[in-house]
Amino acid sequence: MATLDQYIIALERFISSFPKKVDEIILNNEQYFISKIQDRLYDEGKDGNGQSLGTYSLFYENYKRDIGAVYDHVTLFNTGSFYGEMFMSVFNGVVDVFSKDEKTPAILEMFTGFDVFGFTEQEQEFLYEKIIKPDILELIITLPSTIKIEIV
């Protein structure tokens, strides 16, 4: 059982370390976060704002169909290097995704810019509810659960 002063100290420590803990939770799930973007690009051909990346030219559509690849929308997947080089940075809960692939600047210029790496509102909600929130709740239960108050 913690005294009120001990509880306040524990709470202050918790609050001061909270942004870093959230960043750690997110970074520990980096591949899952990135896979949400990759899956949307590949399955839907849309950026983080829900904007279509477009369709292929008839020639390229036929090529994609011939090799058994998705051909009805742009996926930004050809050799796999753009997807494979994706990485994430986090600071104070703000997530930035990018790709080290050499084609990235051209891809961003050709399509919807950095929105390619964004999360939709639904993805953000899902990632918070399923990944971040449960870990935050685990952190909260580490706080003292009872307080001893002495009346003098």
Side-chain angles (χ1 to χ4, degrees), residues 2-9 147-149:
T3 66
L4 185 56
D5 286 340
Q6 290 169 330
Y7 189 78
I8 289 170
I9 290 168
I147 302 171
K148 178 182 178 184
I149 299 177

Side-chain angles (χ1 to χ4, degrees), residues 7-146:
Y7 189 78
I8 289 170
I9 290 168
L11 210 52
E12 287 172 343
R13 278 193 208 128
F14 179 83
I15 290 168
S16 68
S17 68
F18 188 74
K20 185 176 179 180
K21 294 287 187 188
V22 171
D23 289 354
E24 288 173 11
I25 292 167
I26 294 169
L27 281 174
N28 287 340
N29 292 281
E30 176 178 13
Q31 196 49 53
Y32 189 77
F33 275 64
I34 290 172
S35 73
K36 294 301 278 183
I37 293 172
Q38 293 168 336
D39 290 349
R40 178 182 19 85
L41 291 172
Y42 193 83
D43 296 340
E44 302 173 30
K46 294 182 179 179
D47 70 15
N49 291 324
Q51 295 291 99
S52 172
L53 299 176
T55 56
Y56 294 118
S57 68
L58 185 56
F59 173 80
Y60 202 67
E61 180 181 323
N62 287 332
Y63 165 74
K64 288 286 210 174
R65 183 181 288 132
D66 289 346
I67 64 170
V70 174
Y71 59 86
D72 62 341
H73 61 267
V74 172
T75 63
L76 301 181
F77 187 90
N78 189 22
T79 65
S81 61
F82 178 70
Y83 282 36
E85 294 290 325
M86 285 186 183
F87 69 97
M88 189 171 78
S89 65
V90 184
F91 184 72
N92 285 336
V94 177
V95 177
D96 289 312
V97 178
F98 200 69
S99 177
K100 297 177 197 170
D101 182 67
E102 64 185 21
K103 297 180 299 294
T104 300
I107 288 170
L108 297 180
E109 188 175 318
M110 187 179 299
F111 295 99
T112 60
F114 285 100
D115 293 339
V116 164
F117 296 117
F119 295 97
T120 66
E121 287 184 27
Q122 294 83 4
E123 289 164 346
Q124 291 176 46
E125 189 174 310
F126 177 85
L127 291 167
Y128 174 75
E129 288 294 327
K130 300 297 181 190
I131 304 295
I132 300 169
K133 184 178 176 180
D135 283 0
I136 288 173
L137 293 175
E138 287 294 317
L139 290 172
I140 291 171
I141 64 172
T142 65
L143 291 170
S145 58
T146 57

